Amino acid sequence: MLDTPEAVVEALRENHERPHGTQRTVTAEELVEAAEVFDKPDTLVTALLELMTAYEFTGEQRKSPVAFARLLKLWDTAPESFSPWEAHQVFWRFKWVTTSLLQVPEVPLDTVRGWIDRMRERYEEAGHGMQPVAAMRHHVAAHIGTGVDDAYDLWVTRPRTELSDCEACETRHRAGYKVAAGDDAAALDAWRPVLAGEQSCSEEPQTSQARALLPLLRLGRTDEARSHHLTGYRRVRGNTGMQHEVGLHLEFCALSRNEGRGLEVLAENRPLFEATGAPLDRLGFLTGVEVLLARLVEDGHGETPVAGPPGRNWTAGELLGHVRGEADRLAAAFDARNGTTAVGDRRRERLARRPLLDAPLPLGLRTAAAPRTPAGAAPALPAAATAEAPEVPEDFAALVAEARRLARLGHPGADRLWARITERLADGSAAHDDRLGPEELLRAELAEEHAYRLKQKDGDAEESGAGLETAAGLYDELGMPWQALAARARALAWTTGEDDADAGRDEAVRVRLDRMLGEAERLKDEAPLTGGKPGDGETALGADAAADRVLSYLTVLYAGAYAAYQETMRREPEEPGPAPERFEEAVGALRAEAERLGVPHQVANARQFVADAAGRRGDIALAESELRAALVDIEASERPWRGSRPRALLAQVLLARQEPAEAAELLHRAIADAVRYGEEDFPLAPTYSLLGHASSHLGDHTGAVRHLSEAAARFDREGEHPEAADVRMQLAGVLTEAGRQADAVAVLESLLSEESAAALDERMVAQIRLSLARGLRELEEYLPSAEEFLRLAGTVSGWEEDDAPIRTLVTADTAVALALADRWEAAEAAYERALAAHAEAPNPPMIVRMAREFARLTTAARGDEGVETALAHLARADEALDGVPADAEGFAVWYERGEVHYRRSHVLAEAQRFEEALAEAEAAIGVHEEGGEHGELPRAEAVRFAALVEGNGLGRTDEAIARLTTAAARCRNAGHPEAAQILTALREEYLARPRG
């Protein structure tokens, strides 16, 4: 009941603790009405200030000036009703009213300027400096686009006052001025303190992060842009007071070619379509929506369903028309009010922007809402992907001749030419030319090429094998036995790579391949094969035919080696049987004949088989030597495009040997060559993942984030969602290690969307949720963290008995999260459940840490009243540790026991039981001694606290100084100068105290 001023004040206090939103704003309005009943101006002052705060941070600027007018009247009639803080707020909120009036196009510009004049008069009367007034005049000038430079100079040349905007907000406005002047680099330099986290406030850094996205993209600083989108968007998501910033994130998605991500952002912010209290910010939001939708419609996705104003379903095209109409009207209203075209010009400038990147910027996020490519349209490829792709001749005979030449070389560019040949024959723009030889030859080549592409795309050995059989039949008709034999051998070998292959199929394949090898020997006897360059009397056509026979022969041998390799790979390395011998024989034959015939790239293939098998057996040295030799062979073959795969394999070997530097170089080269030569079949996603792993080991977190983000995006495009999720988990780990916890949380959240999680194994989802819950806890987002832990607890509750320790872990973490979120009743219930789970499935580390954290939080929440409860928690921690052997693997018992003593010392000191606190601190010091060099830092902290108890609690300053002197010297000798500095600083503080 709000029947007394005290009850209203208490309700105001409770409301102030709520997050900004409709509930808080409506309650604030109700509390103002309740306060008006009483003859207590001080209560009404507090209520009006709370109402203004609610309006300011929920995008209700239309209403704010009315509330302030009432507040100002009270200031004039009952100034004694204002506390010192409230009196300061009267002058502070003059600025809020100025920006609120600018937000509303119906408010005449003269009214806005008149208000600033009134602000100046009030400031002068109160003796305040004029810098905040100059700042307001600059905001007006920047808004209407006239007199901006002069207004800026008048503002920035005046000294700051206690009523100036905070440093973070002023930094934003300075940077915004430079962006408007076209100097992105200077703007980002000005923004650095905010974007680096050195300056912050309730609006920063999230406001600046949104506004810096475009300058970062324009300057090519994409790694920073990615990070600021991930972290900044989380803080503005769904916030009606941040409409403009959400619009900037939508624009970023369009300009970075992340339209799918943009659709997700749009869906998450659907309620913003109904937020109309801040028209200027609404215009910013609608324009960002329009930028995104225009990109979708231009790319042919006008019929894509999108999230728009509630009440009906929308397509991109329909919502674009709706948004465009309202935004045009708003912009026109502002320009009419201002008497300039500045607002409309800025809007038109945003709408004219086109994507700033050739390919989507990998964000590291799982995006489920990507628009589908229209039927018949080819997806856009990055320019770099075809940087050295062969030209496509217009003359059909030249086109086929070039395709054959590249195919003979094994050049990846041949695929593009064969595809073009197929297209031209299908659309009738070309017909067979007698200069190309028999038409059946071209049909055979196309059938072979189609079969190969089918195998690479779908892995369907049966259908692709049928295509090769078709090609082989045509080669037979043409009297080309070698080519027919090679096609059939490839078809047969491909069946050995099938997942359902078994011993019976292996045996059948071996029998047929042996026959083919026999046929190859017969053909060799009829016309011996020779390597090297063609003789002087041999024509070019004859040379090509001879080379084709050699390549076909080696293809048959390669098929035999491949089949033997697949059979070996399906068996455990130590499994007995003849498979390893057959493998060595087949690979040896391929290598020997390739060397005899002078075909080094097939020698390299044989070496790669050996390297793969050796790596699987754990013979890393042999794998490395064979792969290095293979790269030498490829260099000799003058076919550099064949080097990407062995380089990637060698990099894997080197990573296993903890040599990430050379591995990273090899992976960079592998990717660069695959892209350079247009090798579409190269496994770029796994290679980027390896490169991210190598970069992480080198401490290059920025590079690791970039490469892992690229890997995840590529896995998604290939439909490999579990692999993408695994990479994103690695990405989150790298981000956490780099101190970018908010980025990591954004990545993990994207994995738990309904569609994303549905594609994943339950255990992977659980691991993601655990990482997310802990990440949110690190960000001090305690309630969301607790909610994630509770969801996780529900998941693991049904797991098998073998997973019982995991349930203990999750329940303990849940208890701590609930306590951190100040949900004590639920926290204590979870605490008891964790103890019960521990009794059934012991997990001492989690129980000890839970109890220790509860001790800390209990004393923080309840003060002296919580001392005995806190000590009881620590006693439980001791009990859990008593059952753990001192040499337990993966658990430093000495550290945990020392931390329990340390925490007990704190609790006792809080209760002013200083002798007991000192004894516990000294016990902590002694236990940390057991940790050797690993215990130096926790020992130093225990020493510091012991000295505080001695010097401050017990008044034994000399003993504290002696303790600190010894400990500081020990830290310096142990290589911990920072710890030594902390101890020395406390020692000097004690030395400076007067002695009795």
Side-chain angles (χ1 to χ4, degrees):
M1 294 289 291
L2 301 176
D3 52 359
T4 66
E6 292 75 18
V8 173
V9 171
E10 180 59 30
L12 285 167
R13 186 178 296 112
E14 291 178 5
N15 196 46
H16 187 74
E17 296 301 316
R18 291 192 178 100
H20 289 293
T22 302
Q23 182 183 358
R24 177 169 173 176
T25 302
V26 170
T27 302
E29 290 173 335
E30 293 171 349
L31 291 174
V32 168
E33 292 177 4
E36 288 175 323
V37 173
F38 308 107
D39 187 21
K40 293 279 291 183
D42 55 342
T43 303
L44 183 56
V45 165
T46 304
L48 286 168
L49 285 169
E50 169 62 23
L51 180 58
M52 279 195 74
T53 300
Y55 286 155
E56 180 71 15
F57 292 100
T58 53
E60 290 287 354
Q61 277 84 349
R62 283 182 183 274
K63 301 178 181 180
S64 190
V66 176
F68 188 72
R70 298 177 64 187
L71 191 69
L72 202 56
K73 184 176 180 180
L74 287 169
W75 174 252
D76 290 336
T77 58
E80 71 282 356
S81 302
F82 290 73
S83 69
W85 180 84
E86 290 170 336
H88 177 81
Q89 287 298 304
V90 171
F91 292 96
W92 183 269
R93 297 191 185 197
F94 266 97
K95 300 179 296 181
W96 288 14
V97 175
T98 301
T99 54
S100 294
L101 293 173
L102 269 184
Q103 280 276 348
V104 184
E106 293 86 358
V107 176
L109 201 59
D110 287 344
T111 300
V112 181
R113 287 174 169 149
W115 177 259
I116 296 175
D117 290 340
R118 189 177 179 188
M119 173 183 172
R120 177 183 55 77
E121 292 168 2
R122 293 276 186 164
Y123 273 44
E124 285 178 342
E125 290 173 6
H128 294 302
M130 292 295 106
Q131 194 258 16
V133 177
M136 294 302 103
R137 296 196 190 282
H138 168 250
H139 293 340
V140 173
H143 173 67
I144 65 176
T146 60
V148 181
D149 294 340
D150 289 342
Y152 179 81
D153 289 340
L154 285 172
W155 165 47
V156 298
T157 55
R158 290 177 181 270
R160 284 175 50 78
T161 76
E162 64 174 353
L163 289 170
S164 296
D165 283 343
C166 75
E167 286 187 301
C169 287
E170 288 207 340
T171 293
R172 177 178 77 245
H173 293 308
R174 289 171 186 257
Y177 171 78
K178 297 179 189 302
V179 171
D183 194 342
D184 288 340
L188 291 169
D189 187 55
W191 250 318
R192 189 198 59 76
V194 173
L195 298 180
E198 297 168 11
Q199 297 175 355
S200 64
C201 68
S202 61
E203 297 179 19
E204 292 295 351
Q206 61 267 31
T207 302
S208 288
Q209 286 176 312
R211 292 164 194 254
L213 291 171
L214 177 61
L216 287 167
L217 275 185
R218 285 195 293 224
L219 291 178
R221 292 163 61 172
T222 52
D223 292 327
E224 296 165 80
R226 176 197 297 112
S227 177
H228 291 311
H229 171 65
L230 294 182
T231 58
Y233 172 67
R234 286 191 72 251
R235 299 187 67 175
V236 304
R237 178 175 55 200
N239 188 337
T240 54
M242 288 281 180
Q243 292 180 80
H244 180 65
E245 285 67 32
V246 172
L248 292 174
H249 282 281
L250 287 167
E251 179 183 280
F252 164 80
C253 291
L255 299 183
S256 65
R257 294 189 182 274
N258 278 286
E259 291 87 352
R261 166 66 170 168
L263 291 179
E264 288 190 343
V265 170
L266 191 62
E268 290 176 336
N269 292 276
R270 195 173 191 181
L272 297 191
F273 283 105
E274 298 180 299
T276 59
L280 186 59
D281 285 346
R282 179 172 179 78
L283 175 61
F285 168 67
L286 294 176
T287 302
V289 173
E290 188 174 347
V291 171
L292 173 68
L293 296 176
R295 289 296 316 143
L296 290 169
V297 172
E298 288 174 20
D299 285 346
H301 300 294
E303 297 303 313
T304 298
V306 298
R312 58 161 288 188
N313 296 325
W314 297 88
T315 65
E318 291 167 345
L319 184 57
L320 176 61
H322 174 81
V323 166
R324 180 172 288 161
E326 182 181 352
D328 281 343
R329 287 191 295 274
L330 272 175
F334 278 109
D335 284 345
R337 187 271 300 271
N338 298 336
T340 68
T341 61
V343 173
D345 288 344
R346 285 193 287 270
R347 169 172 156 73
R348 285 183 285 274
E349 182 183 353
R350 289 180 70 183
L351 295 175
R353 290 175 186 141
R354 290 294 178 269
L356 297 169
L357 304 175
D358 293 327
L361 172 65
L363 300 176
L365 301 173
R366 169 75 167 100
T367 301
R372 296 180 180 177
T373 302
L381 293 174
T386 55
E388 289 201 14
E391 292 186 7
V392 180
E394 189 60 34
D395 178 73
F396 188 67
L399 174 62
V400 174
E402 180 64 4
R404 286 172 174 169
R405 184 185 73 83
L406 293 178
R408 192 171 290 111
L409 292 172
H411 193 296
D415 298 338
R416 182 169 173 238
L417 301 188
W418 287 121
R420 182 58 181 151
I421 291 167
T422 302
E423 289 173 5
R424 292 193 60 181
L425 289 172
D427 65 20
S429 64
H432 185 262
D433 190 315
D434 290 340
R435 291 176 294 170
L436 300 174
E439 184 175 355
E440 288 76 9
L441 175 58
L442 182 57
R443 286 170 51 203
E445 291 166 328
L446 290 173
E448 196 168 9
E449 172 64 19
H450 177 68
Y452 179 74
R453 303 312 312 162
L454 192 64
K455 179 67 167 66
Q456 293 301 114
K457 180 182 178 182
D458 301 324
D460 188 334
E462 184 175 346
E463 189 173 349
S464 55
L468 286 176
E469 285 294 341
T470 298
L474 290 167
Y475 284 132
D476 280 336
E477 293 176 14
L478 291 164
M480 301 174 69
W482 276 116
Q483 285 82 351
L485 188 61
R488 291 192 173 99
R490 287 170 68 190
L492 192 57
W494 284 350
T495 64
T496 64
E498 294 287 273
D499 292 336
D500 62 348
D502 54 24
R505 182 183 295 186
D506 287 343
E507 176 65 26
V509 167
R510 281 198 302 274
V511 169
R512 293 181 62 189
L513 278 173
D514 284 344
R515 291 176 186 156
M516 291 182 183
L517 288 169
E519 176 66 11
E521 291 302 319
R522 185 186 67 77
L523 291 173
K524 277 172 55 184
D525 291 340
E526 292 180 359
L529 302 174
T530 58
K533 303 292 182 183
D536 293 338
E538 194 170 20
T539 65
L541 183 59
D544 287 346
D548 286 346
R549 289 194 294 272
V550 168
L551 291 176
S552 295
Y553 169 56
L554 292 176
T555 297
V556 175
L557 293 177
Y558 179 90
Y562 180 82
Y565 166 78
Q566 289 292 343
E567 183 182 1
T568 302
M569 290 299 103
R570 282 195 297 274
R571 286 157 173 73
E572 294 298 325
E574 67 278 2
E575 186 178 336
E581 292 181 9
R582 287 196 292 265
F583 169 70
E584 290 181 12
E585 182 181 346
V587 171
L590 172 62
R591 177 173 171 178
E593 286 296 271
E595 287 175 342
R596 180 180 72 83
L597 295 167
V599 185
H601 74 268
Q602 285 286 19
V603 178
N605 285 338
R607 292 187 185 280
Q608 288 179 69
F609 282 134
V610 173
D612 264 4
R616 190 165 178 266
R617 294 194 308 271
D619 190 345
I620 302 300
L622 177 59
E624 179 182 354
S625 65
E626 286 295 305
L627 288 168
R628 291 191 185 280
L631 288 171
V632 173
D633 291 328
I634 287 168
E635 188 70 25
S637 75
E638 299 180 356
R639 299 182 179 201
W641 47 86
R642 289 186 171 272
S644 291
R645 293 173 191 271
R647 283 191 179 90
L649 291 170
L650 178 56
Q652 285 182 270
V653 170
L654 293 172
L655 283 173
R657 292 182 53 167
Q658 305 298 314
E659 297 179 29
E662 186 182 357
E665 292 178 12
L666 288 164
L667 292 165
H668 275 295
R669 174 73 184 277
I671 291 169
D673 281 355
V675 172
R676 176 184 180 187
Y677 297 111
E679 189 178 356
E680 296 180 9
D681 300 332
F682 182 74
L684 281 169
T687 308
Y688 272 112
S689 179
L690 278 176
L691 182 52
H693 185 62
S695 299
S696 176
H697 277 273
L698 289 170
D700 177 11
H701 292 117
T702 299
V705 169
R706 184 185 312 126
H707 303 315
L708 291 172
S709 298
E710 179 71 31
R714 288 179 177 275
F715 274 127
D716 274 340
R717 288 201 293 272
E718 294 164 8
E720 303 288 348
H721 299 309
E723 289 79 0
D726 184 65
V727 169
R728 288 190 172 96
M729 286 287 288
Q730 295 178 50
L731 172 59
V734 170
L735 289 166
T736 300
E737 186 179 331
R740 292 163 57 183
Q741 189 67 68
D743 295 47
V745 163
V747 171
L748 293 168
E749 284 178 335
S750 76
L751 287 171
L752 291 178
S753 68
E754 184 175 345
E755 184 174 341
S756 301
L760 303 177
D761 173 78
E762 182 184 65
R763 289 180 179 271
M764 177 172 277
V765 172
Q767 182 59 54
I768 294 166
R769 202 174 294 284
L770 177 62
S771 299
L772 175 59
R774 289 176 170 174
L776 289 166
R777 186 174 63 197
E778 289 297 311
L779 293 178
E780 300 184 2
E781 296 182 27
Y782 297 130
L783 187 54
S785 172
E787 290 168 351
E788 290 298 334
F789 274 122
L790 286 168
R791 293 187 186 100
L792 180 59
T795 298
V796 304
S797 63
W799 286 7
E800 299 295 331
E801 283 303 311
D802 290 346
D803 297 311
I806 296 175
R807 290 198 291 275
T808 305
L809 176 153
V810 171
T811 311
D813 259 339
T814 303
V816 172
L818 287 165
L820 287 166
D822 203 26
R823 299 295 195 269
W824 277 99
E825 185 176 347
E828 288 164 358
Y831 183 95
E832 294 301 325
R833 288 198 301 274
L835 292 177
H838 174 66
E840 296 181 5
N843 192 330
M846 289 309 304
I847 295 301
V848 170
R849 289 161 196 167
M850 177 188 73
R852 200 169 66 229
E853 189 69 355
F854 261 70
R856 180 182 73 82
L857 294 171
T858 299
T859 52
R862 296 169 55 189
D864 290 345
E865 295 179 5
V867 169
E868 293 306 318
T869 301
L871 292 174
H873 288 312
L874 294 170
R876 287 195 184 94
D878 282 333
E879 291 173 9
L881 285 169
D882 288 342
V884 182
D887 59 350
E889 186 177 350
F891 183 48
V893 176
W894 63 266
Y895 174 80
E896 298 295 342
R897 196 175 291 283
E899 289 302 288
V900 171
H901 284 298
Y902 174 78
R903 179 52 54 197
R904 188 178 287 115
S905 177
H906 269 267
V907 171
L908 292 166
E910 287 282 336
Q912 298 190 4
R913 292 160 59 175
F914 296 120
E915 289 289 359
E916 295 172 81
L918 180 59
E920 286 297 320
E922 289 180 331
I925 294 168
V927 173
H928 284 313
E929 285 277 3
E930 299 174 18
E933 62 179 20
H934 300 294
E936 285 297 335
L937 288 178
R939 180 189 184 281
E941 171 55 23
V943 168
R944 185 193 70 84
F945 192 74
L948 284 172
V949 173
E950 278 182 319
N952 296 342
L954 297 171
R956 302 172 189 168
T957 308
D958 290 339
E959 288 89 335
I961 291 170
R963 184 190 297 274
L964 292 165
T965 302
T966 302
R970 175 170 173 156
C971 284
R972 278 191 292 271
N973 292 335
H976 298 296
E978 291 183 4
Q981 185 178 359
I982 291 170
L983 295 171
T984 300
L986 181 58
R987 173 181 177 274
E988 291 174 352
E989 180 186 324
Y990 283 157
L991 285 171
R993 290 183 180 179
R995 295 294 207 284

